[in-house]
Amino acid sequence: MILLAIFSMAASLDGGTSAATLAANHDTSFALANHAMSRGAFSEAAEGYEAIASSGVLDGHVFYNLGNAYLRSSQLGKAIASYRAALRLLPRDEDVRANLAFARKQIKDALAPPEPSPIVRTLFMWHFALSAGELGATAALASLCFWACLALLRLGRGGATVRLGGVVCGVVLVCTAPSWAWRTIAPERVGVVVLPEAQAHAAQDQAAVVRFVLHEGAEARLLSVDGDWVRIQLPDGQQGWIAASAIAVVES
Amino acid sequence: VRLSLTTLLVVLGSAAPALAAGVSAELNRDETTRDDGVILTVTLEGSGPEEPLLPSLPDFEAHARGQSTQVQIVNGKVSSTVSHTYLLAPKRLGTFVIPPVQARIGGRLYQSKPLTLRVVEGAAPAGTSDRAVFITAEVSDKQPFVGEQVLYTFRFYRRVQVSRYAPRLPAFDGFVAEQLGETKEYNTTNEGQRYVVTESKVALFPLEARSLELAGATVTAEVAKTSGRDAGGPFDDFFGRVPTESRLLRSEPVKMTVRPLPAAPDGFSGVVGRYTLGAELSKASLAAGESATLTVELRGEGDVRQLAAPKLTLPPSFKVYDEKPELRRELAGNKLGGSAIFRQALVAAEAGEFVFPPIRLVYFDPDAEKFATVESQPLMLSVRPGAGESLNAAGAERAFAKTEVQQLADDILPIHTTTQGLWSRPARHGFVGLTLAALLLPPAGFVLLAAWARRRESRERDQEAERRRTALGRAKKSIEKAEQALTKSQLEDAIALASRALREFLGDKLGVSGLALTADDVRSRLHERGADAGLVMRVYEETHRLEAAQYGGEAGIAGHNLTSKLIELKGMLKELDAQL
């Protein structure tokens, strides 16, 4: 209920009637794009989903469908970037994971995607199993409960139940609040190659030495963006500059 | 360009005039032979010289041989003379004009004058024993067949000190070329002279039938002078320095005729060389559904990369799965060869006794100049019925054999038709703000609450302290009122006032409500607070006595007796005040 209230309050910040109108427009666009997918008009569907996404909508299902539309249109790189964006918003969605795995099978480069190790995923499972919104809501709720328990104890009105509740809420708060802050303030960024081939140069110059070549769909950790160039790093530590037009940047 | 020598000559305060900027070029001779190179020296004078730009020299091969620098500081002005040296190797006979050499000096473009060089036919080569350095290049067969292995051997002979040795082999166009092993160095005797020989070998496989000429190999090197006026003076020997000259050595071109292969028989594999073939099955017997591995090994001399898996004719009930071939290249003497191992997994679907025809390889043997065939022995495989089939044979009820589920195709999962509510980015920002507020405001509220609670507790503590501090004064006033009541013969009022004074005093001192205290409460609490035992007993008795007088009407306290009791009570309370 509290989460619902927070979500409702957050949604209301958008502004009453205009938000409702926008949502209705998005619903219509979403339905039209879905219809285009069912007709096999994949490029048209991709444009529809892209329009919703570019209007500022952050909905995992839109990005998932966009990934499907791109994959059907043989745009492997954009499909993988869209699935990654969907996974960030729907971290436990099996469909997204399955389609991302399917798309990755078609990549030409034998390159492992930049993912944390299984040990890290297990130790910090909440970080990978919850979306940023879920982490924020959990942290907010835990914070309210933890400090309420502490206040009751301070006023001498808390028993063993309040003390136990305080400890549980404190642990949840310590786990989720830094995780939410990390995901919100400094998310890790990944570059996905969206052109058939992308050359990684030694410097931000087309004439610079080509250190290696990546092919469409290859994913690499993005270190920095400098104008029309992005600096990427492969799992083996190799780095190079790739033209920004050849890369789709996705927050991980 | 390597910097071979840099000389810094500093002339301070010299009266010598400063050098004018400019570029000059000169050849060490005007006429040369095709086998000898000429030295082109380009000299740049002036401050801030840049690398000279050699003109296009299509009739020569140019090899940079280094540069030397001289710097002069004359009256504080720095100028330098940089000399770049190139070795020019003529490609043909004739008279040639070497166009001007250009260079920027101090940002300005200068150019040298053009030079003329005549290249004439050289004298017949002297016997190798007359030469201090020379090179040879030869092939093992000048009329090979297409695909036949030819050995190209390059040797560099020298009997004087040589440095900066740089060989250049021909391009081997029309061949697949493969370096054979490492470059070797050894000593040998040639026409009575001892030489150090550097030798490298290349295996060549001609790609097409034609006549061709392999260009000569070249070597550029700094060769020690052994005669003439520059052949090392006593000071050179003293400093361990040997005068050298840049030399270009060139071997004779090699003419070859690559012959085509004769008309090929059926089944010719396309490989040239000499090969053996071996084949074996990992099992002689297996059950239907199981697999056996067929291994075919081809070994011999030639380019094993050209070998393909021999064809095997199998009954249709067999399924064949190819594995990745294993290629090994080996050097046997002066021949490149190796082996190729092909493995195939054979899965039998039906039972039976099978004899596979021999596996055959047809190749061209260049030594025998004819096609040859190698083949394996026939291979035999016995396939027993599988588990399901044997049950059938026994007439038993057919069992449902479990088979692995194989994925026939793969595709993506369908689109989603519901949304998360199509949150917009501003709404997300609002949510972030609310989350931040929920994280930061509660601790701030808790701090305020804690401060308020502390202040309230402090105030309460202050009130109790004040109550304790003023307890004796209030008790004395009550006792004085009791004395006044006694003077008016109001005995009951006097007793009530005295009892009240005692209880309120004790209540103030103990931080409780005094009127609710009984004598027993008083005794136990005073004990807890560590009051003197005698004094506690006296207070207890007095409390008890006043209770009895107030509520029981005890006549034990008469008027005159009460007066002294009140005086005693004052003293006792004073004593108690000091202890609590």
Side-chain angles (χ1 to χ4, degrees):
Chain A
M1 287 301 288
I2 293 173
L3 281 179
L4 197 62
I6 292 173
F7 290 161
S8 305
M9 286 171 70
S12 69
L13 291 176
D14 223 356
T17 313
S18 62
T21 310
L22 268 177
N25 289 343
H26 289 151
D27 278 334
T28 308
S29 304
F30 188 68
L32 286 174
N34 287 353
H35 184 60
M37 281 294 282
S38 65
R39 284 189 287 113
F42 303 122
S43 298
E44 183 189 327
E47 284 175 15
Y49 295 129
E50 189 73 73
I52 300 172
S54 59
S55 70
V57 166
L58 292 172
D59 191 301
H61 300 289
V62 172
F63 285 104
Y64 168 79
N65 289 2
L66 179 60
N68 277 13
Y70 276 138
L71 203 58
R72 292 288 190 219
S73 315
S74 302
Q75 298 186 66
L76 182 62
K78 287 185 177 176
I80 289 177
S82 302
Y83 286 139
R84 288 201 73 119
L87 198 60
R88 189 163 188 265
L89 298 163
L90 301 169
R92 299 179 301 283
D93 192 298
E94 291 300 328
D95 288 3
V96 180
R97 289 191 176 280
N99 284 8
L100 178 58
F102 179 87
R104 280 175 173 162
K105 283 181 192 168
Q106 301 176 32
I107 299 170
K108 193 173 176 185
D109 298 317
L111 198 64
E115 301 280 359
S117 68
I119 296 174
V120 172
R121 291 190 79 91
T122 306
L123 284 176
F124 303 97
M125 58 184 178
W126 63 88
H127 183 78
F128 301 101
L130 299 176
S131 67
E134 290 166 340
L135 281 170
T138 309
L141 190 61
S143 171
L144 291 170
C145 293
F146 172 73
W147 293 107
C149 291
L150 221 58
L152 285 174
L153 290 170
R154 178 65 185 85
L155 294 175
R157 295 179 190 175
T161 309
V162 172
R163 196 169 287 118
L164 179 65
V167 169
V168 171
C169 290
V171 170
V172 173
L173 178 62
V174 165
C175 290
T176 54
S179 213
W180 170 77
W182 186 15
R183 289 273 286 272
T184 306
I185 298 166
E188 190 173 353
R189 291 183 297 174
V190 170
V192 184
V193 177
V194 294
L195 295 183
E197 190 175 284
Q199 294 181 330
H201 296 266
Q204 304 102 303
D205 187 351
Q206 288 290 357
V209 169
V210 177
R211 283 192 169 155
F212 51 87
V213 175
L214 296 180
H215 296 89
E216 187 172 13
E219 300 160 74
R221 200 155 74 88
L222 193 141
L223 300 178
S224 60
V225 178
D226 183 3
D228 294 335
W229 293 86
V230 292
R231 186 176 187 172
I232 56 138
Q233 184 180 39
L234 301 185
D236 63 1
Q238 286 192 79
Q239 294 183 10
W241 289 94
I242 290 182
S245 58
I247 288 281
V249 178
V250 191
E251 290 182 352
S252 175
Chain B
V1 176
R2 288 178 52 192
L3 185 66
S4 61
L5 174 65
T6 300
T7 307
L8 179 64
L9 179 63
V10 180
V11 184
L12 293 170
S14 167
L19 291 169
V23 177
S24 62
E26 63 173 345
L27 295 166
N28 66 336
R29 63 180 89 164
D30 298 331
E31 184 176 298
T32 186
T33 65
R34 225 185 97 175
D35 296 331
D36 295 322
V38 287
I39 302 294
L40 170 66
T41 305
V42 179
T43 306
L44 314 177
E45 293 176 346
S47 56
E50 297 177 11
E51 191 82 6
L53 194 64
L54 281 189
S56 172
L57 298 168
D59 301 312
F60 297 89
E61 283 178 25
H63 304 268
R65 304 301 292 171
Q67 71 178 65
S68 62
T69 305
Q70 280 191 332
V71 178
Q72 289 189 2
I73 304 173
V74 180
N75 294 330
K77 189 173 181 181
V78 180
S79 63
S80 62
T81 302
V82 182
S83 297
H84 294 263
T85 310
Y86 303 89
L87 178 63
L88 301 183
K91 291 180 180 174
R92 55 184 64 86
L93 305 179
T95 301
F96 303 97
V97 174
I98 297 173
V101 180
Q102 295 184 331
R104 284 191 177 279
I105 302 171
R108 205 172 146 199
L109 189 66
Y110 295 88
Q111 65 179 33
S112 67
K113 290 178 181 170
L115 301 169
T116 304
L117 177 66
R118 193 157 162 253
V119 181
V120 298
E121 193 70 60
T128 53
S129 62
D130 295 339
R131 291 184 281 176
V133 291
F134 64 96
I135 61 174
T136 63
E138 59 189 24
V139 292
S140 58
D141 186 355
K142 291 186 176 175
Q143 291 186 319
F145 285 98
V146 172
E148 181 184 353
Q149 185 173 172
V150 179
L151 185 67
Y152 177 91
T153 308
F154 164 80
R155 294 189 185 93
F156 173 40
Y157 292 80
R158 58 197 183 274
R159 56 181 169 81
V160 294
Q161 192 174 335
V162 168
S163 62
R164 298 178 60 197
Y165 152 70
R168 184 184 288 180
L169 299 185
F172 300 127
D173 292 331
F175 295 87
V176 173
E178 191 78 31
Q179 175 84 32
L180 288 179
E182 300 290 321
T183 299
K184 289 190 292 188
E185 193 162 289
Y186 56 88
N187 294 311
T188 188
T189 303
N190 186 304
E191 297 184 15
Q193 299 277 358
R194 291 283 293 170
Y195 284 89
V196 176
V197 181
T198 301
E199 180 183 280
S200 56
K201 293 182 176 178
V202 179
L204 302 177
F205 298 92
L207 293 172
E208 58 180 337
R210 63 184 176 123
S211 295
L212 54 92
E213 183 177 279
L214 276 180
T218 59
V219 164
T220 56
E222 295 295 319
V223 180
K225 289 184 177 177
T226 54
S227 62
R229 60 184 175 86
D230 294 333
F235 291 106
D236 288 334
D237 291 341
F238 180 79
F239 289 110
R241 205 177 65 186
V242 178
T244 61
E245 61 179 343
S246 294
R247 291 285 302 276
L248 171 73
L249 307 170
R250 194 195 300 269
S251 70
E252 289 296 319
V254 180
K255 289 185 177 169
M256 295 176 73
T257 302
V258 180
R259 290 183 286 168
L261 297 181
D266 288 342
F268 175 49
S269 62
V271 295
V272 178
R274 205 162 50 236
Y275 293 95
T276 59
L277 186 150
E280 62 174 5
L281 279 166
S282 61
K283 297 173 185 172
S285 168
L286 50 78
E290 292 181 351
S291 70
T293 302
L294 170 66
T295 304
V296 179
E297 181 174 1
L298 301 173
R299 177 177 288 279
E301 293 170 357
D303 189 359
V304 294
R305 290 174 299 186
Q306 303 296 322
L307 290 169
K311 284 183 182 172
L312 178 65
T313 308
L314 292 174
S317 60
F318 277 84
K319 288 182 180 174
V320 182
Y321 301 94
D322 288 330
E323 295 181 15
K324 194 177 174 186
E326 190 180 317
L327 290 179
R328 285 193 199 129
R329 306 178 70 199
E330 294 161 2
L331 189 62
N334 284 331
K335 292 270 186 177
L336 188 65
S339 64
I341 299 173
F342 302 92
R343 291 191 180 87
Q344 293 172 314
L346 309 182
V347 180
E350 292 176 3
E353 297 295 326
F354 298 93
V355 178
F356 303 144
I359 298 166
R360 184 173 287 131
L361 175 76
V362 181
Y363 64 93
F364 182 75
D365 184 345
D367 293 338
E369 299 193 4
K370 63 180 184 182
F371 291 91
T373 302
V374 283
E375 61 182 28
S376 68
Q377 294 293 322
L379 298 168
M380 285 174 283
L381 185 63
S382 173
V383 182
R384 302 186 302 277
E389 289 177 77
S390 59
L391 281 172
N392 266 347
E397 192 178 337
R398 184 173 186 84
F400 290 95
K402 295 190 191 319
T403 55
E404 280 191 19
V405 178
Q406 290 187 342
Q407 187 174 12
L408 300 176
D410 199 4
D411 197 6
I412 54 174
L413 297 169
I415 60 168
H416 292 175
T417 51
T418 57
T419 65
Q420 288 179 294
L422 297 169
W423 271 38
S424 65
R425 230 173 265 275
R428 182 173 173 249
H429 292 156
F431 176 73
V432 169
L434 275 178
T435 307
L436 269 178
L439 289 174
L440 299 178
L441 290 181
F446 175 78
V447 169
L448 291 175
L449 176 77
W452 172 79
R454 173 176 282 197
R455 193 173 168 189
R456 193 188 69 174
E457 288 164 1
S458 171
R459 201 184 306 134
E460 284 175 358
R461 280 197 302 273
D462 291 347
Q463 283 175 350
E464 283 184 9
E466 179 66 14
R467 193 176 156 199
R468 277 198 303 275
R469 194 176 61 78
T470 57
L472 185 60
R474 284 199 301 277
K476 279 181 178 174
K477 284 180 184 171
S478 292
I479 292 170
E480 283 169 6
K481 285 181 184 173
E483 286 172 342
Q484 287 172 5
L486 196 60
T487 55
K488 294 175 186 172
S489 301
Q490 296 170 341
L491 187 59
E492 286 183 3
D493 289 346
I495 290 171
L497 283 168
S499 175
R500 186 186 183 93
L502 177 59
R503 286 167 193 276
E504 282 187 348
F505 174 82
L506 290 170
D508 291 344
K509 281 295 186 185
L510 297 173
V512 294
S513 173
L515 296 178
L517 285 173
T518 63
D520 290 334
D521 288 341
V522 168
R523 186 171 59 182
S524 62
R525 285 176 182 265
L526 288 176
H527 270 305
E528 283 174 11
R529 299 291 291 267
D532 177 65
L535 180 62
V536 171
M537 187 50 67
R538 280 164 54 207
V539 173
Y540 168 73
E541 287 172 353
E542 196 57 40
T543 310
H544 189 70
R545 189 174 296 123
L546 287 172
E547 270 180 7
Q550 186 179 2
Y551 302 112
E554 263 190 33
I557 300 178
H560 67 279
N561 201 12
L562 184 57
T563 305
S564 63
K565 286 293 178 190
L566 289 176
I567 293 166
E568 266 181 50
L569 186 60
K570 273 186 191 173
M572 192 171 66
L573 293 183
K574 197 173 178 181
E575 219 176 315
L576 201 55
D577 184 62
Q579 288 195 17
L580 295 179

